[in-house]
């Protein structure tokens, strides 16, 4: 692990010992952008705690991420697979019943663990954050605040820290924002944040990074062709601007993402393979995932070498600034203006594209459907053409 990652790791291990000696709760919050090593810390902690015989679990709010953890680190060992849970698994957990609960991708924490399928007697109204904080003597939250992408997600430093301090718990914070693994680019992430209006200062011209390749494609065909020439893992993603059909009876996928005469299917919706197409949880890691278009709910939490991003027609440019177009978005989570006001929609869509644009570890190629946005990007990326 790198320096800041080691600081976070040692802080948690020290908190475990302190909580045991003082019979108290210690809360640790670790923040960092894509590629900063949050999941490296999470898995390193889980492995060491497991070796020491401590009671510890890893939890996320993402089915794709949790299923991948069970499939790869937990391969062939049911005991290790059972270390990976979901955030809604702790509704009945004993208070301080374990030493450590590692909440990875904590930006996915929701208001409550209940949903429309929860039986009425179990609808207690208790917050999911309270359940997670209560379950362990050392709850650890690893998050990127710019990855809140759905209505009802509450995982921010402010919300977690405020709630924990109101309960009288000690809280320690570590930021990984200045530390990246060998892949990825801090410069590129800042360029994305400025482009999307998630950081102050307005859009910047991209003038290159010797360790990270950024290209602008003039068509989706160019984007896909660029990715197909690269060695290593490569995936295409897009904003949720096209319908998402169920598979056909013959186990083929519908080419829902249609741009001119180019058409590709979304990734598989569910956790079962469809023909030769991998289940949604394995879209980012299985070779046959290439050729389908991933959405934010499948791509979030994963990284691949080469990243192709289609900026859908829900993004345009007005007066030199990026703007969102609600009518072009097809995400069912954003359908109701009552539950998701326009201001919330605008923020969430910008976060969605921040996630999609920062999955690549070696490079990213971008295509924008909207002509105004294409021209805007061309002005910012004069040196970045395929």
């Amino acid at each position: 692990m790198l320096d800041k990652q080691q600081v976070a790791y040692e802080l948690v291990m020290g908190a475990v010992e302190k909580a045991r000696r003082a019979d108290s709760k210690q809360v640790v919050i670790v923040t960092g952008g894509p590629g900063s090593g949050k999941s490296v810390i999470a898995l390193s902690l889980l492995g060491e705690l497991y070796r020491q015989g401590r009671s510890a679990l890893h939890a996320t709010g993402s089915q794709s991420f949790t299923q991948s953890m069970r499939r790869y680190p937990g391969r062939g060992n049911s005991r290790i697979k059972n270390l990976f849970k979901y955030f809604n698994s702790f509704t009945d957990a004993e208070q301080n019943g374990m030493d450590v609960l590692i909440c990875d991708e904590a930006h996915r924490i929701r208001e409550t663990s209940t949903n429309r399928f929860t039986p009425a007697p179990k609808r207690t109204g208790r917050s999911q954050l309270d359940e997670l904080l209560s379950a362990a003597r050392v709850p650890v939250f690893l998050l990127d605040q710019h990855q809140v992408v759905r209505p009802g997600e509450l995982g921010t430093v402010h919300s977690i820290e405020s709630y924990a301090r109101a309960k009288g718990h000690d809280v320690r914070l570590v930021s990984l924002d200045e530390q990246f693994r060998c892949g990825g680019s801090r410069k590129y992430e800042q360029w994305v944040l400025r482009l999307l209006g998630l950081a102050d200062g307005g859009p910047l011209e991209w003038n290159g990074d010797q360790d990270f390749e950024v290209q602008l494609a003039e068509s989706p065909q160019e984007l896909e062709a660029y990715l197909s020439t690269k060695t290593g893992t490569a995936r295409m993603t897009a904003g949720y601007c096209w319908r998402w059909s169920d598979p056909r009876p013959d186990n083929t996928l519908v080419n829902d993402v249609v741009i001119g005469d180019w058409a590709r299917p979304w990734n598989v919706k569910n956790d079962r393979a469809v023909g030769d197409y991998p289940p949604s949880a394995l879209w980012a890691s299985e070779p046959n995932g290439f050729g389908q278009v991933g959405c934010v709910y499948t791509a979030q939490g994963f990284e691949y070498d080469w990243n192709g991003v289609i900026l859908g027609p829900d993004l345009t440019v007005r007066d030199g600034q990026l703007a969102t177009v609600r009518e072009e978005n097809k995400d069912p989570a954003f359908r109701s203006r009552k539950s998701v006001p326009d201001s919330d929609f605008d923020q969430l869509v910008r976060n969605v594209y921040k996630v999609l644009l920062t999955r690549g570890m070696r490079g990213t190629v971008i295509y924008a459907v909207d002509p105004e946005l294409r021209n805007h990007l061309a002005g910012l990326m004069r040196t970045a053409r395929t």
Side-chain angles (χ1 to χ4, degrees):
M1 288 186 288
L2 303 177
D3 292 344
K4 281 287 188 71
Q5 295 168 357
Q6 190 68 37
V7 167
Y9 174 89
E10 291 176 357
L11 180 62
V12 173
M13 296 304 294
V16 172
E17 187 59 30
K18 182 177 179 181
R20 184 189 65 79
R21 289 197 312 267
D23 193 23
S24 64
K25 188 181 293 286
Q26 303 284 316
V27 180
V28 180
I29 303 173
V30 181
T31 65
S36 56
K38 297 183 297 295
S39 292
V40 170
I41 295 167
L43 293 177
S44 298
L45 286 168
L46 189 66
E48 180 58 27
L49 291 164
Y50 182 81
R51 283 190 289 273
Q52 291 185 11
R54 305 278 193 181
S55 55
L57 293 173
H58 178 282
T60 78
S62 166
Q63 181 182 35
S64 295
F65 196 67
T66 299
Q67 290 295 330
S68 291
M69 292 297 100
R70 289 174 175 173
R71 181 180 177 89
Y72 292 105
R75 183 190 294 273
N77 188 322
S78 59
R79 198 171 167 196
I80 292 178
K81 283 183 181 179
N82 289 332
L83 298 177
F84 297 97
K85 304 291 185 181
Y86 295 104
F87 290 156
N88 62 5
S89 303
F90 300 92
T91 55
D92 299 320
E94 177 187 355
Q95 185 166 344
N96 294 330
M98 68 187 84
D99 292 316
V100 182
L101 177 59
I102 302 165
C103 300
D104 205 351
E105 299 282 296
H107 38 263
R108 301 294 302 271
I109 292 172
R110 301 188 67 78
E111 293 175 3
T112 72
S113 295
T114 60
N115 55 45
R116 66 182 187 276
F117 302 112
T118 306
K122 292 192 175 183
R123 295 176 182 266
T124 64
R126 187 184 182 194
S127 74
Q128 190 172 85
L129 180 54
D130 187 65
E131 293 167 358
L132 298 172
L133 277 167
S134 297
R137 292 189 180 279
V138 182
V140 181
F141 299 92
L142 302 109
L143 62 98
D144 176 353
Q145 297 190 102
H146 290 305
Q147 290 198 44
V148 174
V149 299
R150 296 195 77 171
E153 291 181 342
L154 304 177
T156 65
V157 172
H158 176 73
S159 62
I160 297 170
E161 182 180 11
S162 298
Y163 196 91
R165 291 196 188 281
K167 290 280 188 178
H169 305 322
D170 291 336
V171 180
R172 302 291 300 277
L173 292 93
V174 180
S175 173
L176 305 174
D177 281 339
E178 298 304 322
Q179 180 136 9
F180 275 66
R181 295 198 299 269
C182 297
S185 166
R186 178 69 174 168
K187 180 179 178 181
Y188 171 69
E189 193 203 4
Q190 285 299 308
W191 181 84
V192 168
L193 291 173
R194 295 274 293 268
L195 171 71
L196 295 172
L198 298 174
D200 295 336
L204 291 167
E205 183 170 348
W206 176 255
N207 58 11
D209 182 332
Q210 64 179 2
D211 297 319
F212 193 81
E213 186 173 330
V214 181
Q215 297 289 339
L216 184 63
E218 296 185 359
S219 69
Q221 289 91 337
E222 274 193 17
L223 179 144
E224 187 173 18
Y226 169 88
L227 295 175
S228 68
T229 65
K230 297 299 183 180
T231 57
T233 54
R235 292 294 182 271
M236 296 182 290
T237 60
Y240 203 154
C241 297
W242 295 265
R243 63 171 296 188
W244 195 338
S245 302
D246 291 326
R248 299 186 183 96
D250 64 353
N251 274 349
T252 58
L253 301 179
V254 179
N255 288 333
D256 283 319
V257 184
V258 179
I259 304 170
D261 59 359
W262 182 88
R264 293 292 182 270
W266 289 110
N267 62 258
V268 172
K269 277 186 178 183
N270 299 315
D271 57 359
R272 290 187 179 181
V274 174
D276 292 331
Y277 303 112
S280 60
L282 303 180
W283 166 83
S285 55
E286 292 290 313
N288 283 349
F290 187 78
Q292 303 122 61
V293 180
C295 80
V296 67
Y297 305 126
T298 312
Q300 191 172 33
F302 295 97
E303 292 156 350
Y304 17 89
D305 294 318
W306 301 100
N307 183 25
V309 183
I310 297 171
L311 305 179
D314 59 352
L315 284 184
T316 188
V317 174
R318 298 190 185 114
D319 299 324
Q321 298 293 323
L322 209 69
T324 56
V325 185
R326 186 165 191 153
E327 293 72 24
E328 295 288 351
N329 191 280
K330 300 296 189 292
D331 190 335
F334 300 152
R335 190 171 293 151
S336 168
R337 273 190 162 88
K338 183 177 180 180
S339 58
V340 186
D342 286 345
S343 58
D344 290 356
F345 168 81
D346 181 81
Q347 181 66 50
L348 290 168
V349 167
R350 291 171 190 270
N351 286 353
V352 164
Y353 282 109
K354 191 268 182 177
V355 171
L356 295 182
L357 285 163
T358 54
R359 300 301 91 196
M361 295 301 291
R362 296 169 64 185
T364 297
V365 56
I366 304 167
Y367 170 73
V369 174
D370 179 79
E372 294 294 328
L373 182 53
R374 270 205 307 279
N375 291 335
H376 181 67
L377 288 171
L380 295 174
M381 302 174 68
R382 285 189 285 264
T383 61
R385 301 292 182 88
T386 60

